[in-house]
Structure formats: structure tokens, C-alpha cells
Amino acid sequence: GENVEQHPSTLSVQEGDSAVIKCTYSDSASNYFPWYKQELGKRPQLIIDIRSNVGEKKDQRIAVTLNKTAKHFSLHITETQPEDSAVYFCAANNAGNMLTFGGGTRLMVKP
Amino acid sequence: EPEVTQTPSHQVTQMGQEVILRCVPISNHLYFYWYRQILGQKVEFLVSFYNNEISEKSEIFDDQFSVERPDGSNFTLKIRSTKLEDSAMYFCASSEVPGANVLTFGAGSRLTVL
């Protein structure tokens, strides 16, 4: 089955700096790669996703890149703000309708 | 914005007791899911459900677990005889179509087994 690895597990940045979180996946049939933000005690919220027919997608300060050959995808957050502090999860789908999540990255943005 | 609603928000139960967690998916969604998150860990897939039957399940979803859509709106997860290790946040989710489509998660039901 699909295996998703996520790095780093914790990331501390200064407000205004950029943050990058990386994920790798194992199933070459995966074609959908969402990123979720989870604040303490809350539900995972989709922040951006990318499908396998594109290599990059951007939404304001957030961007995601996908390298299908290498089977890795990354989340980039620019001009980080304290409210970006949360746990971020990457995920990849399988051929059916199941998402496999990475282990999560705790992002701390210091004011 | 349409939401997935879950009840109860928190349930405390004794080991060995049966628990039913309830979910109301978004009305035009056809695919329903249960995921689990043990405190401080990643979100794990349990089961997906479409057209009144299970379409996929993980190794976690053993014989102690079952799902049901008893009427046109509710989607339930039953744990027959709870164990301490079942303590977790259980998230229901739904999507319009499977696979490469957006999952909308509910707020979760926290289960504490004593």
C-alpha cells in the first residue's frame, strides 16, 4: 500500500521567513496530493492540493510543487505569520478512495 | 458553507462497552469515510463507504468495527467492545466522488476509553 513520509517533524521559523515541508510517497498510481492544516484540537482543514497533471500550484502565500518522477511533493509558505503556526499534514491517495497521511509537521512561527 | 457534522463531540466509556459515533455528511456527497487520530499522531484511514457498502478498509478496521447508513442522512461508526487503545479522535469525512477529490472533515468525536 501507499507509504507517505513527511519531513521535518518540527519546524521553527521567524515571522516573515519562508517554511518548506517535504513529503515522499511510494505508490506511483497516486494522483492527488492534498495538504491539511490542523490547529490544536480542531479538524484537518484543506489548504491546498495538487493533482498529478501539474507540477506546481500557488494560492497567495502558499505553494505546492510535485515531482512525479521522484515521487515527492513539497509545501512552501512564504512571509509566515504567527497564525500559520499549526500541524501540517501531507497526504496521497491510492487507486481507490483512501488518503494516506504523512506523520505531520509542527510549524511554529515566532513573532 | 456546507459542513460535515459529528456527534458526540466527546464520549467517555468503559472498556468493553459498545460505542456509536454519528456523522451527517454533506448532502450531495456520495462517499463517506472514517479516519482516526490518536493524540499527537497522524490521521489514519479506517474505512470508506459508497452505495451502502464498504468500498475499502484498513487493517485497523477489524471485526470490532462496523459502519452503517441507517437512513438518508446519518453515517455511523460502531465499536462493539471498546479497548483502551481505541481512545482517539474519530473524524468523519465525505466527498462528492472518490480518489482525486476534496475530502471535507467533520469536527471529530473524541473517544476516551477507561
Side-chain angles (χ1 to χ4, degrees):
Chain A
E2 175 73 277
N3 183 43
V4 178
E5 299 285 340
Q6 184 171 347
H7 299 280
S9 55
T10 60
L11 179 59
S12 183
V13 299
Q14 207 66 39
E15 182 178 0
D17 288 350
S18 295
V20 180
I21 303 170
K22 298 182 178 181
C23 288
T24 60
Y25 63 99
S26 60
D27 187 350
S28 56
S30 294
N31 61 2
Y32 177 63
F33 307 93
W35 285 88
Y36 286 86
K37 176 183 180 182
Q38 188 178 33
E39 295 174 357
L40 190 63
K42 301 277 184 70
R43 76 188 80 189
Q45 296 265 23
L46 180 73
I47 55 170
I48 196 167
D49 57 14
I50 192 166
R51 300 174 197 275
S52 59
N53 57 344
V54 298
E56 185 173 356
K57 184 177 177 181
K58 192 172 181 181
D59 182 4
Q60 299 180 355
R61 296 186 296 109
I62 295 172
V64 59
T65 58
L66 171 65
N67 183 328
K68 283 212 72 180
T69 305
K71 296 204 200 75
H72 65 70
F73 56 115
S74 301
L75 177 72
H76 305 251
I77 306 174
T78 57
E79 301 169 32
T80 52
Q81 300 163 5
E83 51 265 38
D84 294 330
S85 297
V87 179
Y88 291 80
F89 290 97
C90 63
N93 70 329
N94 68 350
N97 49 11
M98 167 184 151
L99 283 181
T100 298
F101 283 78
T105 297
R106 181 172 300 281
L107 174 64
M108 294 169 283
V109 181
K110 294 180 283 189
Chain B
E1 189 173 330
E3 279 193 344
V4 175
T5 56
Q6 289 186 241
T7 54
S9 56
H10 188 194
Q11 181 154 356
V12 181
T13 191
Q14 294 290 325
M15 193 168 56
Q17 295 296 304
E18 177 183 284
V19 160
I20 297 176
L21 306 178
R22 291 182 169 80
C23 170
V24 179
I26 293 173
S27 61
N28 65 332
H29 285 189
L30 301 177
Y31 295 84
F32 316 124
Y33 313 82
W34 284 100
Y35 283 79
R36 175 182 88 173
Q37 186 177 33
I38 294 170
L39 188 63
Q41 298 186 25
K42 68 178 175 181
V43 179
E44 300 174 291
F45 171 79
L46 292 179
V47 66
S48 58
F49 190 86
Y50 168 67
N51 201 25
N52 283 320
E53 60 182 24
I54 291 173
S55 49
E56 200 162 4
K57 61 183 180 179
S58 70
E59 295 167 353
I60 303 167
F61 194 88
D62 61 22
D63 292 343
Q64 294 296 324
F65 292 88
S66 63
V67 288
E68 196 177 33
R69 188 155 164 83
D71 53 46
S73 60
N74 288 285
F75 177 51
T76 62
L77 174 70
K78 183 194 290 187
I79 310 174
R80 267 181 263 286
S81 177
T82 50
K83 304 186 284 285
L84 296 176
E85 53 265 38
D86 293 328
S87 295
M89 182 73 95
Y90 288 82
F91 291 105
C92 176
S94 67
S95 68
E96 287 182 63
V97 295
N101 195 269
V102 175
L103 255 63
T104 303
F105 283 87
S109 293
R110 180 168 298 285
L111 176 65
T112 302
V113 182
L114 302 176

